[in-house]
Amino acid sequence: MIEWIVSPGLTDFRSAEAWMEARVDAILSGVAHECIWLVEHPPLYTAGTSAREADLKDPDWFPVYPTRRGGQYTYHGPGQRVVYVMLDVGARGRDVRLFVQNLEAWIIAALDRFNVAAGLRDGRVGVWVERPEKARTISNQTAEDKIAAIGIRLRKWISFHGIAINVEPDLDHFSGIVPCGISAHGVTSLVDLGLPVTMGDLDLALRETFTEVFAESPQPV
């Protein structure tokens, strides 16, 4: 079974890391179920294993936390739903690429509940939306903004870290980094797109769409 946990308020980042580490150990030991943990963090930047120093534009604005998840710099803060996924990838075929694709598809399916046509882009990590109301790019393409990020780590085929979806964060806070190393495109949120979506609305959509994507996964409880 998969345990779903929603933490109220703001969760300290290092405390969250320690909790995830302990939960992964418990899953590996067979004394705890898989877990999906939904949190919000105070404003901070995290650096993944591929982070480039030049992409941290304002190192004194918010705390910066090096992590061992994949990816580059990202922002977490109030109004952003962070979903930590402690799932058994080994039991799902031992295919890390497929697991990441399922996480992406999960985000896209949840956003579709709000009529947001999100998608993936070759050469760019994360989930994106078109912004036809914005000025076209220098190459005369439709502008696109990032609405969700992904960064995971595995220990003995158990995943942790996970995904982050922008509901209503302060988008100015992303300007202290080059988000995920991509400078040619912007960042958006559900509220920035003009949708009056709450964190609870998104949580419900995530729960409803989880088994649609992870069809071979145990049922959530």
Side-chain angles (χ1 to χ4, degrees):
M1 306 299 288
I2 299 175
E3 181 181 8
W4 287 68
I5 302 172
V6 181
S7 290
L10 302 179
T11 301
D12 175 75
F13 182 76
R14 285 302 188 210
S15 297
E17 279 195 316
W19 194 93
M20 283 191 287
E21 295 267 3
R23 185 62 177 240
V24 169
D25 287 342
I27 294 169
L28 287 168
S29 299
V31 298
H33 294 304
E34 296 175 295
C35 180
I36 294 175
W37 185 25
L38 295 86
V39 306
E40 289 178 80
H41 289 303
L44 58 93
Y45 299 126
T46 65
T49 54
S50 302
R52 298 172 294 198
E53 185 176 353
D55 288 344
L56 181 59
K57 297 161 62 177
D58 193 343
D60 300 320
W61 194 358
F62 298 122
V64 180
Y65 295 98
T67 77
R68 288 181 284 178
R69 63 156 174 82
Q72 302 187 40
Y73 280 105
T74 193
Y75 166 78
H76 294 316
Q80 181 191 70
R81 176 52 87 207
V82 177
V83 185
Y84 290 129
V85 289
M86 287 144 279
L87 299 174
D88 189 346
V89 180
R92 294 170 172 80
R94 296 191 172 219
D95 188 331
V96 178
R97 179 175 295 181
L98 176 61
F99 181 69
V100 171
Q101 290 173 345
N102 284 340
L103 291 176
E104 294 167 338
W106 184 27
I107 296 169
I108 291 168
L111 294 176
D112 184 62
R113 292 296 176 97
F114 309 107
N115 295 315
V116 174
L120 309 178
R121 301 294 184 268
D122 289 341
R124 282 188 258 148
V125 296
V127 175
W128 299 80
V129 295
E130 291 189 347
R131 304 300 303 273
E133 74 279 12
K134 289 189 171 184
R136 296 180 73 83
T137 68
I138 194 169
S139 58
N140 200 34
Q141 301 297 311
T142 300
E144 295 181 332
D145 287 340
K146 189 173 187 177
I147 195 167
I150 298 175
I152 65 164
R153 184 181 166 207
L154 297 182
R155 183 195 297 161
K156 297 181 179 179
W157 293 104
I158 305 297
S159 68
F160 55 121
H161 294 279
I163 64 179
I165 304 174
N166 298 330
V167 178
E168 192 178 9
D170 186 333
L171 296 179
D172 288 341
H173 290 177
F174 286 89
S175 65
I177 57 171
V178 178
C180 299
I182 300 169
S183 59
H185 301 274
V187 180
T188 190
S189 69
L190 287 164
V191 172
D192 183 53
L193 293 173
L195 300 169
V197 178
T198 68
M199 199 67 72
D201 294 333
L202 177 62
D203 292 349
L204 180 61
L206 287 166
R207 185 143 182 168
E208 289 178 345
T209 55
F210 179 81
T211 51
E212 295 175 10
V213 175
F214 291 86
E216 301 302 321
S217 301
Q219 294 294 311
V221 294

